[in-house]
Each structure stands twice: as structure tokens, then as C-alpha cells.
Amino acid sequence: MEAFSFSGKHVLITGAGSGIGRLMALGAARRGASHIVLWDLNPAGIKAVAEEISALGVKASIHKVDVSQRASVIAAASAVIEDIGHLDVLVNNAGIVSGKSFLELEEKDITSTFGVNTLALFWTIQAFLPGMLERDSGRLVSIASAAGIAGSTKLTDYSGSKFAAVGVMEALRAELREAASSVSALTVYPFYINTGMFDGVKSSSPLLRIQNQDVATAKILDAIESPRRELFLPGMVYSVRIFRLLPAAAFDWIADAFGINKAMKNFRGRKK
């Protein structure tokens, strides 16, 4: 795979009304994207981001979309294609976390988490991949999580949804390779990022620090513009793959030693 470039591209970002979704949208605009499509459930948020993008001299359009609902995605995707013709970059960034222990989880917590964090990948990619395959060009990006390769307390629904998202992207990469397609896929595995989504979370390990949102965003944008298929933030997250070669008891001991199971102890989450 060759390096990619935002220059002149049409980019869609879900969950673009705040956090790294907003920062990625602004970053893509600064890197030369010609049109940024902003999806979020918060119209006021994406309207503000669109104004910031317009101030940079780049076109932006907004759509209130519930990415967990296929009908909502299909309707918005049709509007996007009608408006700008095609999509070059799809960034599945929208995500939610309940932060509850297993027995505290209610049905709505579980279905909402999987709806936004996992099912949305199916609905959005199925909506835009056909056009990318027809043009034999495009970049599919999923902001997964380090929780997609290592489980933790108070993250059973979140971690489960991210494990599933990782599997979706891995299998999709396989299909694209088999089809000899130039469409590429990137999966991002960030540790906690200080966007407010995981407000209250603490890390007791100097090797796994809470990630700065501006630094993390720059690295994600760099990865999108590279041939990379995976990005670990920080790089230490990759060691989880190595530790998984150990027996489960040893892996659990290492996870506890790094304080992973204590990180969510004071979780508050983003203020509504």
C-alpha cells in the first residue's frame, strides 16, 4: 500500500462534535482536505466545528446522525453522496462508554454501547465502501481502543464492543487484500485520551500515561496519511499482543501490575 494524502479529499468523521473527532476534522482541513463531513448526535457541536473549518477556507457539511441505527446512517449517507459525489476517507470515531461494573449494566447500556462502538462500523462502511471499491480508492479508519485487546474492570460492555470492532476491521482488511483492492483500512488502539470521555480515569504506570488529545490526534492523522494498518497509542500498547503469549494467569498478573484494573476506579465520564 502506498502513502495516502488528505489533499483534495472528501472526509467523513463520526462523533465529530467534540473531542478527537473535532480535532481530526480540523486537522484534516489543515492538511488540505477539500470537504469535511461531520456526523454527530449533537447538532450544536458539529455546527460549531463546521464554522471552525469554514474559517480555514475548507467546505464543511453537517448531519445529525445516530450511527447505531442503520436507517439513520443510510439516509445521511445518501445525502452525503448526493451532495459531494463520493467519499475518500471514512473515520469511525463515535464511541460511548458506560463505565459500569458487569452486574450494574442495564440492557440499554449494553445495546447502546455495541450499537455505537460496533454495529455502526457495519452500517457506515456498507454505505460508503461500494463507491470506494468502484473507484478503487479510499481509506477506512476505526478508532478502536486498547480495551479492544485487553479487558478491564468496569469496561465489560465497552471492551467487548471494541474487541468486536477490532475483529471487524481485521476481517475487512483480509477481504480487501483478497480482492486486490487499493482501498485500505486502519485500526487505531488508543489508551485513555484526555478528551473528557474518560474523565476521572487515572493511570498508575509511567509506561501507560493518559494520552494528550492534541498529540494523539496528530499521530492518528499521520497514520491515516501513511501505509499503516494499525496504530498503537502509546506504542507500549503493542506489548499486550506479546504478553498474550503467556498463560492467562501470568497475563492477568501483568495487567494488575500495570494498574489497568484500577484505572476506572474514579471514572466520571464526560459531563452531559
Side-chain angles (χ1 to χ4, degrees):
M1 175 192 156
E2 298 180 355
F4 195 80
S5 172
F6 280 111
S7 181
K9 298 298 193 299
H10 297 166
V11 181
L12 188 155
I13 301 173
T14 69
S18 61
I20 61 170
R22 167 183 170 272
L23 293 176
M24 283 190 290
L26 292 171
R30 294 188 181 103
R31 293 181 184 221
S34 63
H35 196 116
I36 311 292
V37 182
L38 311 170
W39 281 11
D40 204 294
L41 269 177
N42 178 6
I46 48 178
K47 180 181 178 181
V49 177
E51 290 173 352
E52 291 184 272
I53 292 172
S54 296
L56 296 173
V58 177
K59 294 180 180 179
S61 55
I62 63 175
H63 298 265
K64 180 181 178 181
V65 185
D66 182 351
V67 293
S68 71
Q69 300 300 312
R70 184 172 181 268
S72 181
V73 169
I74 290 175
S78 296
V80 169
I81 297 303
E82 182 176 350
D83 182 29
I84 64 176
H86 72 276
L87 191 68
D88 298 297
V89 184
L90 170 63
V91 183
N92 273 298
N93 165 71
I96 59 174
V97 59
S98 66
K100 298 180 180 180
S101 63
F102 186 84
L103 292 180
E104 290 177 327
L105 290 169
E106 299 177 17
E107 181 180 356
K108 64 179 181 179
D109 297 319
I110 299 168
T111 55
S112 294
T113 298
F114 275 84
V116 175
N117 297 354
T118 308
L119 295 181
L121 272 67
F122 288 94
W123 312 148
T124 59
I125 295 174
Q126 284 186 342
F128 294 107
L129 180 56
M132 291 182 176
L133 291 174
E134 184 177 347
R135 296 188 314 280
D136 197 30
S137 176
R139 194 85 161 113
L140 302 169
V141 183
S142 173
I143 308 301
S145 171
I149 50 177
S152 172
T153 55
K154 290 192 173 183
L155 288 178
T156 50
D157 58 332
Y158 182 81
S159 186
S161 71
K162 292 299 186 178
F163 263 82
V166 169
V168 169
M169 294 300 288
E170 185 172 297
L172 180 58
R173 286 203 316 272
E175 289 191 9
L176 293 172
R177 291 197 308 275
E178 185 177 18
S181 174
S182 295
V183 178
S184 60
L186 168 69
T187 306
V188 182
Y189 304 81
F191 191 57
Y192 302 112
I193 302 176
N194 65 344
T195 61
M197 180 176 175
F198 283 96
D199 191 30
V201 168
K202 298 183 183 300
S203 174
S204 59
S205 171
L207 297 176
L208 285 174
R209 297 185 182 279
I210 304 299
Q211 299 294 288
N212 176 275
Q213 60 179 351
D214 295 304
V215 174
T217 299
K219 290 182 177 179
I220 293 170
L221 293 173
D222 287 345
I224 294 174
E225 290 195 301
S226 79
R228 300 187 69 155
R229 303 177 187 189
E230 293 183 313
L231 173 66
F232 298 86
L233 294 173
M236 182 64 184
V237 172
Y238 183 79
S239 65
V240 174
R241 290 233 174 110
I242 300 173
F243 294 149
R244 283 208 171 277
L245 298 175
L246 300 171
F251 177 81
D252 290 348
W253 182 89
I254 292 173
D256 292 344
F258 272 92
I260 292 176
N261 277 334
K262 296 179 180 179
M264 290 286 291
K265 183 178 180 180
N266 298 310
F267 169 80
R268 294 186 297 273
R270 181 178 286 121
K271 293 180 180 179
K272 304 295 185 184

